[in-house]
Amino acid sequence: MSDQNPVFIPGPTNIPDRLRAAMHVQTRDHRAPDFVETFAPVLEDTKKVFDTRDGTVITFPASGTGGWEAAICNTLSPGDKVLVARYGMFSHRWIDLCQRHQLEVQIIECSWGSGAPADKFEAILTTDKAHDIKAVLVTHNETATGVKSDIAAVRSAMDAASHPAMLFVDCVSSLASMEFHMDAWGVDIAVSGSQKGFMLATGMAILGVSPKALAAMEDAKLSRTFFDFRDMMGANASGGFPYTPPLQLIYGMRESLKMLFEEGLENVYARHFRLAEGVRRAVDAWGLKLVADTPDLYSDTVSAIYVPEGFDSNALTDQAFNAYGVSFGIGLGEMNGKAFRIGHLGSLTDVMVLSGLATIEMAMADLEYPVELGSGVAAAQDYFRRHRAALVRSAA
Ligand SMILES: *Cc1c(COP(=O)(O)O)cnc(C)c1O
């Protein structure tokens, strides 16, 4: 099987040659004087992607889940109350993590396909006169359903309730691919990882932390060692790391930031919108339905698509893999068997997306879906021709 085929899973994403090359480095001494020169600018430049001036960037050798754990453990105490809405597998897993840390989790159950309910947050926060709720946790881009939530609206809701809770946002599958404005949205901790928008191998949890979250650290009683912000920030202050850093990933991150800035973040977001829109035109032409309830919720990094009644989405993704050597996202949790996902984030071009659409159409035809071969590709081609990409040759 050829490794030239891109993956269409919503992370880990395709690693461009330029980043594979950047990570292909021999061991270097992280206590040597030149480590500072490598690492400090990476932390500083990552702030631009979070769009924060006041925040601090903290990374750990971990996947995104480790980032969630770090956010919680550094700022909260056992028994603290947090408010979360559950509308997909990732919001669900964050809830589970909080519960295992003995936090009291107030859950708003929402249908899968909906987004963060700012109005319900506001109503609950308004009645919490004692300010028992210490943090509101929101998954910006619910990767299981392809739903993007409006973080600015959540911030407005919190402000309208004059509630001092911190706002923690999971932006693992949105950062560096969809607009994110940490300071403007008043986000206290934003959690991301290396293997999605940054187009790198998995292994670096990447957090943006506000001054308010850093202040909360002083009283936080949850135990932490590996994920202690204080150890990390203390070492980072002199350009170091409290233990062995994932050096190859840091080199990769340096190059990834270069690529993102060369393309321009605005263009990166526009490209993701365009690619997503091409996919959505294809879904429409197939006569299939997205899991996301309404257009304002459509994610630009992943589309979750219901298969027609009587079909099994796992058989479809298996067929695409077995017959054509291409991976698509399976349906997670409640969506298992009912929906498949097309990841369209990271290192992708119009041409690559067209190849993915063509492949899944072949798999659908093989399984006798009531879908006309070529219809989705034609709809995406039409969209891409009318919305030409600004070619950034170095970004591919
Ligand atoms: C990928 C992802 C995560 C993190 O998962 P890891 O496998 O731990 O990196 C968290 N939240 C969302 C929304 C994700 O898409």
Side-chain angles (χ1 to χ4, degrees), residues 10 63-66 68 90 93 139 141-143 170 172-173 195-196 202:
S63 77
T65 306
W68 283 343
F90 290 91
R93 285 180 47 209
T139 301
N141 189 71
E142 177 48 83
T143 317
D170 170 342
V172 181
S173 63
Q195 81 274 27
K196 298 194 183 174
T202 314

PDB file of all heavy atoms in Angstrom, residues 10 63-66 68 90 93 139 141-143 170 172-173 195-196 202, ligand 1:
ATOM      1  N   PRO A  10      -9.639  13.210  11.212  1.00  0.00           N
ATOM      2  CA  PRO A  10      -9.444  14.547  11.795  1.00  0.00           C
ATOM      3  C   PRO A  10      -8.365  14.535  12.872  1.00  0.00           C
ATOM      4  O   PRO A  10      -8.578  14.978  13.989  1.00  0.00           O
ATOM      5  CB  PRO A  10     -10.817  14.872  12.365  1.00  0.00           C
ATOM      6  CG  PRO A  10     -11.416  13.537  12.672  1.00  0.00           C
ATOM      7  CD  PRO A  10     -10.832  12.532  11.727  1.00  0.00           C
ATOM      8  N   SER A  63      -0.286  13.902  24.649  1.00  0.00           N
ATOM      9  CA  SER A  63      -1.279  14.191  23.619  1.00  0.00           C
ATOM     10  C   SER A  63      -2.242  15.228  24.205  1.00  0.00           C
ATOM     11  O   SER A  63      -2.060  15.705  25.329  1.00  0.00           O
ATOM     12  CB  SER A  63      -1.998  12.910  23.190  1.00  0.00           C
ATOM     13  OG  SER A  63      -2.947  12.537  24.163  1.00  0.00           O
ATOM     14  N   GLY A  64      -3.277  15.557  23.462  1.00  0.00           N
ATOM     15  CA  GLY A  64      -4.219  16.576  23.914  1.00  0.00           C
ATOM     16  C   GLY A  64      -4.848  16.241  25.254  1.00  0.00           C
ATOM     17  O   GLY A  64      -5.082  17.129  26.082  1.00  0.00           O
ATOM     18  N   THR A  65      -5.107  14.979  25.490  1.00  0.00           N
ATOM     19  CA  THR A  65      -5.719  14.549  26.751  1.00  0.00           C
ATOM     20  C   THR A  65      -4.867  14.984  27.946  1.00  0.00           C
ATOM     21  O   THR A  65      -5.397  15.403  28.979  1.00  0.00           O
ATOM     22  CB  THR A  65      -5.901  13.013  26.752  1.00  0.00           C
ATOM     23  OG1 THR A  65      -6.628  12.655  25.568  1.00  0.00           O
ATOM     24  CG2 THR A  65      -6.645  12.530  27.977  1.00  0.00           C
ATOM     25  N   GLY A  66      -3.562  14.898  27.790  1.00  0.00           N
ATOM     26  CA  GLY A  66      -2.663  15.368  28.845  1.00  0.00           C
ATOM     27  C   GLY A  66      -2.828  16.866  29.064  1.00  0.00           C
ATOM     28  O   GLY A  66      -2.720  17.353  30.192  1.00  0.00           O
ATOM     29  N   TRP A  68      -5.651  18.535  28.736  1.00  0.00           N
ATOM     30  CA  TRP A  68      -6.854  18.685  29.560  1.00  0.00           C
ATOM     31  C   TRP A  68      -6.506  18.487  31.030  1.00  0.00           C
ATOM     32  O   TRP A  68      -6.919  19.234  31.897  1.00  0.00           O
ATOM     33  CB  TRP A  68      -7.862  17.583  29.242  1.00  0.00           C
ATOM     34  CG  TRP A  68      -8.677  17.689  27.997  1.00  0.00           C
ATOM     35  CD1 TRP A  68      -8.889  18.785  27.222  1.00  0.00           C
ATOM     36  CD2 TRP A  68      -9.427  16.612  27.408  1.00  0.00           C
ATOM     37  NE1 TRP A  68      -9.728  18.447  26.179  1.00  0.00           N
ATOM     38  CE2 TRP A  68     -10.065  17.138  26.265  1.00  0.00           C
ATOM     39  CE3 TRP A  68      -9.618  15.272  27.736  1.00  0.00           C
ATOM     40  CZ2 TRP A  68     -10.890  16.355  25.446  1.00  0.00           C
ATOM     41  CZ3 TRP A  68     -10.427  14.503  26.924  1.00  0.00           C
ATOM     42  CH2 TRP A  68     -11.053  15.041  25.791  1.00  0.00           C
ATOM     43  N   PHE A  90     -15.789  14.071  22.598  1.00  0.00           N
ATOM     44  CA  PHE A  90     -14.668  14.764  23.236  1.00  0.00           C
ATOM     45  C   PHE A  90     -15.125  15.549  24.461  1.00  0.00           C
ATOM     46  O   PHE A  90     -14.449  15.525  25.498  1.00  0.00           O
ATOM     47  CB  PHE A  90     -13.896  15.601  22.213  1.00  0.00           C
ATOM     48  CG  PHE A  90     -13.148  14.704  21.261  1.00  0.00           C
ATOM     49  CD1 PHE A  90     -13.741  14.275  20.072  1.00  0.00           C
ATOM     50  CD2 PHE A  90     -11.900  14.205  21.584  1.00  0.00           C
ATOM     51  CE1 PHE A  90     -13.074  13.396  19.214  1.00  0.00           C
ATOM     52  CE2 PHE A  90     -11.232  13.313  20.743  1.00  0.00           C
ATOM     53  CZ  PHE A  90     -11.824  12.913  19.545  1.00  0.00           C
ATOM     54  N   ARG A  93     -15.457  12.932  27.046  1.00  0.00           N
ATOM     55  CA  ARG A  93     -14.212  12.448  27.655  1.00  0.00           C
ATOM     56  C   ARG A  93     -13.603  13.472  28.610  1.00  0.00           C
ATOM     57  O   ARG A  93     -12.944  13.112  29.588  1.00  0.00           O
ATOM     58  CB  ARG A  93     -13.214  12.044  26.561  1.00  0.00           C
ATOM     59  CG  ARG A  93     -13.597  10.711  25.909  1.00  0.00           C
ATOM     60  CD  ARG A  93     -12.606  10.308  24.825  1.00  0.00           C
ATOM     61  NE  ARG A  93     -11.241  10.453  25.265  1.00  0.00           N
ATOM     62  CZ  ARG A  93     -10.207  10.709  24.462  1.00  0.00           C
ATOM     63  NH1 ARG A  93     -10.387  10.856  23.183  1.00  0.00           N
ATOM     64  NH2 ARG A  93      -9.001  10.818  24.947  1.00  0.00           N
ATOM     65  N   THR A 139     -15.761  22.551  24.537  1.00  0.00           N
ATOM     66  CA  THR A 139     -15.039  21.995  23.399  1.00  0.00           C
ATOM     67  C   THR A 139     -15.356  22.862  22.181  1.00  0.00           C
ATOM     68  O   THR A 139     -16.504  22.905  21.735  1.00  0.00           O
ATOM     69  CB  THR A 139     -15.457  20.528  23.155  1.00  0.00           C
ATOM     70  OG1 THR A 139     -15.161  19.777  24.338  1.00  0.00           O
ATOM     71  CG2 THR A 139     -14.723  19.927  21.973  1.00  0.00           C
ATOM     72  N   ASN A 141     -14.301  22.761  19.012  1.00  0.00           N
ATOM     73  CA  ASN A 141     -14.653  22.008  17.810  1.00  0.00           C
ATOM     74  C   ASN A 141     -14.841  20.546  18.209  1.00  0.00           C
ATOM     75  O   ASN A 141     -13.877  19.854  18.513  1.00  0.00           O
ATOM     76  CB  ASN A 141     -13.526  22.146  16.776  1.00  0.00           C
ATOM     77  CG  ASN A 141     -13.913  21.573  15.433  1.00  0.00           C
ATOM     78  OD1 ASN A 141     -14.741  22.139  14.719  1.00  0.00           O
ATOM     79  ND2 ASN A 141     -13.339  20.432  15.065  1.00  0.00           N
ATOM     80  N   GLU A 142     -16.097  20.128  18.272  1.00  0.00           N
ATOM     81  CA  GLU A 142     -16.401  18.743  18.682  1.00  0.00           C
ATOM     82  C   GLU A 142     -16.120  17.832  17.487  1.00  0.00           C
ATOM     83  O   GLU A 142     -16.881  17.788  16.520  1.00  0.00           O
ATOM     84  CB  GLU A 142     -17.863  18.664  19.168  1.00  0.00           C
ATOM     85  CG  GLU A 142     -18.357  17.303  19.562  1.00  0.00           C
ATOM     86  CD  GLU A 142     -17.447  16.516  20.500  1.00  0.00           C
ATOM     87  OE1 GLU A 142     -17.472  16.702  21.734  1.00  0.00           O
ATOM     88  OE2 GLU A 142     -16.709  15.664  19.966  1.00  0.00           O
ATOM     89  N   THR A 143     -14.996  17.147  17.580  1.00  0.00           N
ATOM     90  CA  THR A 143     -14.485  16.372  16.457  1.00  0.00           C
ATOM     91  C   THR A 143     -15.361  15.165  16.127  1.00  0.00           C
ATOM     92  O   THR A 143     -15.311  14.631  15.029  1.00  0.00           O
ATOM     93  CB  THR A 143     -13.043  15.917  16.783  1.00  0.00           C
ATOM     94  OG1 THR A 143     -12.358  17.027  17.376  1.00  0.00           O
ATOM     95  CG2 THR A 143     -12.281  15.495  15.554  1.00  0.00           C
ATOM     96  N   ASP A 170     -11.232  23.552  24.875  1.00  0.00           N
ATOM     97  CA  ASP A 170     -10.521  22.532  24.099  1.00  0.00           C
ATOM     98  C   ASP A 170     -10.512  23.003  22.653  1.00  0.00           C
ATOM     99  O   ASP A 170     -11.561  23.081  22.013  1.00  0.00           O
ATOM    100  CB  ASP A 170     -11.269  21.199  24.241  1.00  0.00           C
ATOM    101  CG  ASP A 170     -10.763  20.126  23.275  1.00  0.00           C
ATOM    102  OD1 ASP A 170     -10.088  20.460  22.282  1.00  0.00           O
ATOM    103  OD2 ASP A 170     -11.080  18.938  23.497  1.00  0.00           O
ATOM    104  N   VAL A 172      -8.279  21.561  20.455  1.00  0.00           N
ATOM    105  CA  VAL A 172      -7.325  20.610  19.881  1.00  0.00           C
ATOM    106  C   VAL A 172      -7.526  20.487  18.368  1.00  0.00           C
ATOM    107  O   VAL A 172      -6.562  20.487  17.605  1.00  0.00           O
ATOM    108  CB  VAL A 172      -7.426  19.219  20.547  1.00  0.00           C
ATOM    109  CG1 VAL A 172      -6.392  18.273  19.938  1.00  0.00           C
ATOM    110  CG2 VAL A 172      -7.208  19.305  22.052  1.00  0.00           C
ATOM    111  N   SER A 173      -8.786  20.405  17.936  1.00  0.00           N
ATOM    112  CA  SER A 173      -9.004  20.208  16.492  1.00  0.00           C
ATOM    113  C   SER A 173      -9.439  21.488  15.790  1.00  0.00           C
ATOM    114  O   SER A 173     -10.024  21.441  14.715  1.00  0.00           O
ATOM    115  CB  SER A 173     -10.028  19.096  16.263  1.00  0.00           C
ATOM    116  OG  SER A 173     -11.289  19.453  16.817  1.00  0.00           O
ATOM    117  N   GLN A 195      -0.695  17.290  16.797  1.00  0.00           N
ATOM    118  CA  GLN A 195      -0.976  16.404  15.660  1.00  0.00           C
ATOM    119  C   GLN A 195      -2.178  16.778  14.811  1.00  0.00           C
ATOM    120  O   GLN A 195      -2.638  15.989  14.017  1.00  0.00           O
ATOM    121  CB  GLN A 195      -1.122  14.962  16.162  1.00  0.00           C
ATOM    122  CG  GLN A 195      -2.475  14.584  16.768  1.00  0.00           C
ATOM    123  CD  GLN A 195      -2.618  14.916  18.239  1.00  0.00           C
ATOM    124  OE1 GLN A 195      -1.979  15.820  18.741  1.00  0.00           O
ATOM    125  NE2 GLN A 195      -3.483  14.199  18.937  1.00  0.00           N
ATOM    126  N   LYS A 196      -2.702  17.986  14.992  1.00  0.00           N
ATOM    127  CA  LYS A 196      -3.854  18.361  14.169  1.00  0.00           C
ATOM    128  C   LYS A 196      -3.493  19.566  13.300  1.00  0.00           C
ATOM    129  O   LYS A 196      -2.794  19.411  12.318  1.00  0.00           O
ATOM    130  CB  LYS A 196      -5.077  18.535  15.057  1.00  0.00           C
ATOM    131  CG  LYS A 196      -5.370  17.177  15.720  1.00  0.00           C
ATOM    132  CD  LYS A 196      -6.699  17.022  16.371  1.00  0.00           C
ATOM    133  CE  LYS A 196      -6.750  15.636  17.015  1.00  0.00           C
ATOM    134  NZ  LYS A 196      -7.940  15.390  17.809  1.00  0.00           N
ATOM    135  N   THR A 202       2.137  13.231  16.864  1.00  0.00           N
ATOM    136  CA  THR A 202       1.513  13.377  18.177  1.00  0.00           C
ATOM    137  C   THR A 202       2.600  13.444  19.241  1.00  0.00           C
ATOM    138  O   THR A 202       3.645  12.807  19.081  1.00  0.00           O
ATOM    139  CB  THR A 202       0.637  12.140  18.471  1.00  0.00           C
ATOM    140  OG1 THR A 202      -0.137  11.863  17.325  1.00  0.00           O
ATOM    141  CG2 THR A 202      -0.261  12.365  19.675  1.00  0.00           C
TER     142      THR A 202
HETATM  143  C1  LIG B   1      -7.959  15.000  19.164  1.00  0.00           C
HETATM  144  C2  LIG B   1      -8.755  15.694  20.172  1.00  0.00           C
HETATM  145  C3  LIG B   1      -8.400  15.698  21.525  1.00  0.00           C
HETATM  146  C4  LIG B   1      -7.167  15.097  22.089  1.00  0.00           C
HETATM  147  O1  LIG B   1      -6.963  13.809  21.857  1.00  0.00           O
HETATM  148  P1  LIG B   1      -5.555  13.137  22.072  1.00  0.00           P
HETATM  149  O2  LIG B   1      -5.752  11.846  21.385  1.00  0.00           O
HETATM  150  O3  LIG B   1      -5.341  13.014  23.511  1.00  0.00           O
HETATM  151  O4  LIG B   1      -4.530  14.010  21.428  1.00  0.00           O
HETATM  152  C5  LIG B   1      -9.157  16.425  22.401  1.00  0.00           C
HETATM  153  N1  LIG B   1     -10.219  17.109  21.997  1.00  0.00           N
HETATM  154  C6  LIG B   1     -10.593  17.154  20.711  1.00  0.00           C
HETATM  155  C7  LIG B   1     -11.764  17.977  20.328  1.00  0.00           C
HETATM  156  C8  LIG B   1      -9.884  16.439  19.761  1.00  0.00           C
HETATM  157  O5  LIG B   1     -10.245  16.495  18.476  1.00  0.00           O
END
